[in-house]
Amino acid sequence: MSDAAGRPEGGPTGLVGRDAELDVIRSFLSGVAVDGRALLLVGDEGLGKTTLLDVSADMASAAGMRVLRAAGVQFEADVSFSGLHQTLLPLLDGLVLIDAEHRDALSVAMGSGDGPSPERFVVVDATLSLLRAAAVPQPVVVVIDDLQWLDRVSASVLGSVARRLAGSRIGILAASRPDGGGFMELAGLPALRLDPLVDDAAVDLVARRFPVLDQRLRRRVLTEAQGNPLALLELPTALAGTTRAPVPGLPSFLPLTRRLQSLFGARVSDLPSAGREALLLAALDGTDDLRTLRAAVGLRAEGDPLVHAVRARLVWVDEHRGCLSFRHPLIRSAVVELSSDQERRRAHRTLALVLADQPDRRTWHLAQAAIEPDEHVASLLEEVAHRVLRRGDGTGAVSALTRAADLSPARPDRARRLAEAAFIGADLRGESGNASQWLIDARQADPEVGNSLHAASAAAFLLTIGESDVDTAHRVLAGAIETGSHHYDARDPALIAALHTLVLMSWFGERPELWRPVRAALERLTPEVPEILAVQSATMPDPARMDIRILDRLDILIAGLADELDPIAISRIGIAAISADRLSDCREAFWRVVRLGREGSFSRRYAGCLMMLGSDYFSVGEWEQVDELVEEGLMACTGPEAEFFMWCFVASKAILAAVRGDTDTARSLADRVTRVAPRGVVRARGIAEYAHLLAALGDGDAEAAYLHATAISPAGTLASHVPIAPWVCLDLVESAVRTGRHDEAVAHVAALQEAGIARISPRLAMLSAAAAATVAEGDAAVKPFEEALAAGAGRWPFEEARVQLLYGESRRRARATVEAQPLLEAAASTFERLGARPWAARARRELRATGYHVPRHLDSGSSPLTPQEREIADLAASGLSNKQIAARLFLSHRTVGAHLYRIYPKLGISSRAALRDALDALDMGT
């Protein structure tokens, strides 16, 4: 079990995130054993004050101290001496140990004796005398909870006692809310401020108590609880099975358990009605804009009813900034929870009146206030959905459309809106269950509208995601486009969305026949094909044969990503950039989508941008970053909607394992790619072949490498509609030469030159020139190799190192060892840095064959640092802070710190200042 302080089962004290506070309490108890002292625990509701008192009492008992417990009770706050009676009751047998005057005073105060009411100072002296007598055999610790509710007289007596403990072995440990009222004079007493749990401790607490909690739910709980332990432990239970959201998922306002409602709602219930109404307006407005709130309150009440809420410490009001803030998010939830449906609808109507200049917010309030179908509000919501979708908020668009459908009086309008919600849900958010139900509801409302393009697009996605059947999905969607009543109007958003979906499915299928309905539809579009769709349909199908002029238009689209916020547009442009080798130019935009994905639920755009970032970082040699992106992707691929994308991340792991020399793992993962990929995704088979190809090259098995390369694209031609074909050109030519297939290698080089793939990108120019150099003999290879390296210019380290290796091998065979050695040394150094062990070993062998002494830092296993550790060490040695390094490498600063913690002992140093010299010594081999 767990409690409010975050005490799960196990552990020395069972507390999470309270090590510093426990240290203070241990010090306090140690001091009590020597000299009397007092300590106040001060903290808001739910922070675990009671639990800390319990743990403290256990610690005191274990140390041989006598523990006296008392707690203030709200309904006994007017009962004089009730708190003192609780505290001293276990000591009444010891009254005989104190003098008669003090004994009589305590007897009367505690109700067991007769006589006039004793003077306060006498009761103070008597209490202190009794405690001192009890502390003779063993130290005494008085533990008082909820000090703010202790009765006035007891609080006054114990406050005076707390200031007179010097020379005794008595401790008073009490807990109170900050500014919580009460009668005990706290000034001058030592205090320990209890703050909310820090982020890491909050995450740890939730993970221990709810290990299988849904990731989206976990994020919401952590956000709403704000480190409050009680909320962290109660909210997951309260949220289980909730259906209050406009779209199935997480509610707008969190429901509270009875315990949380009591904790956060008690002071709300005590407010006058005008104050509660003002708080409800603030909670439902959600912007904390004081001007809006005051305008709304002015319509409902006179004066300023917020004064009561401020006095009750429920909200802060900042007049200078013009904002109101709830002291805790769950107070907002409590305000909503304690209101009636009628009160909430009235508040929404009031807010709509004062938000005439903010149409989106006004419309939502009108929608929440409506209780019957209303086409005017439904139409306004549909307009909101289209506006927020353009801003990249697919969740908001779906919420608006489904609410609009609920408010639609006419069945065709309801069906149309549900069909569009199903499409957006399946496309952007990757939902299957909700989208399927919306699609069913749309067809029940109106079968004609339920078979619209939006419905067909949604059905295609559901077939892809749920049934993993791309071919059937393609056929359904192509048929719907061909038979639709859209008249091929390029201004019809449903048609354009359907065509984008058809393009994507054709790309996955990698077969010429899949692209025919795409081309047919584009030829009929009027007045013109939208630019992103035009560029996608030109770059994606068959890059080896595309019109090279389209790349100028692609570059313009990519340049516009600097200001683009729409995840749909970013993803579509990114996919168009893959075959054109321009992913690095899209990197910052991809990160924007990934960050949005991390904050919300799984989405296809989030997964796609993770994959594209992984491809980009692999190409530029940042493989440790690829590891992190792949793991993030695999963790996200847990639900049925996300499993469709799993093969992409598994393929990335296979490729990484292959280039690092873990070829058995690479082959196993590559085989898994073909098993988990949906039916009809031919692209997955090609990428799996590529992983097998790299593994074979790593093992030095040129025959197997050739067979895998030609399975992707036959020698002497670039396979039609296979986007990966140009990228394996050097692999195919190298393996053909190594297996004695010189004619096939020459034919393939000729095919590369005829296709002109060098015009697509500098990297393909490098690979194409290196392939030509590989089939050349002797000095004839020098010029194309030099052209290849000039095209690479250090931007793609793994491939450039491979070119250097091939060039060095060529010069060694030509007995130009002096020319070969720097090429081979540079290649070996790059391979070592990347962790490409098979290629590093091959480069070292070639170096030794030239008679060159291989430096220690190029020798296998000589470097104690991984490639990412080396990069972090270099940046730290240059003077960058952990946060600056983290920002540059897209890591957390804690991850950087953990790496440095491992780096120091590997280098035999103990501080950052020694990094530079240690790295220099490592490079020199000393």
Side-chain angles (χ1 to χ4, degrees), residues 69-73 76 82-83 86-87 143-147 149-150:
R69 299 294 300 262
V73 180
E76 289 187 349
S82 59
Q86 276 191 74
T87 305
V143 178
I144 307 172
D145 200 1
D146 287 324
L147 194 61
W149 288 331
L150 215 61

Side-chain angles (χ1 to χ4, degrees), residues 490 495-504 515 518 521-522 525 528-541 550 553 557 572-573 576:
L495 172 61
I496 300 307
L499 285 169
H500 274 293
T501 303
L502 194 63
V503 164
L504 187 64
W515 289 97
V518 175
L522 294 181
L525 274 184
E528 61 184 2
V529 181
E531 186 66 359
I532 296 178
L533 183 59
V535 172
Q536 270 194 333
S537 60
T539 61
M540 291 171 62
I550 197 68
R553 294 165 67 181
L557 287 175
R572 286 171 176 170
I573 294 170

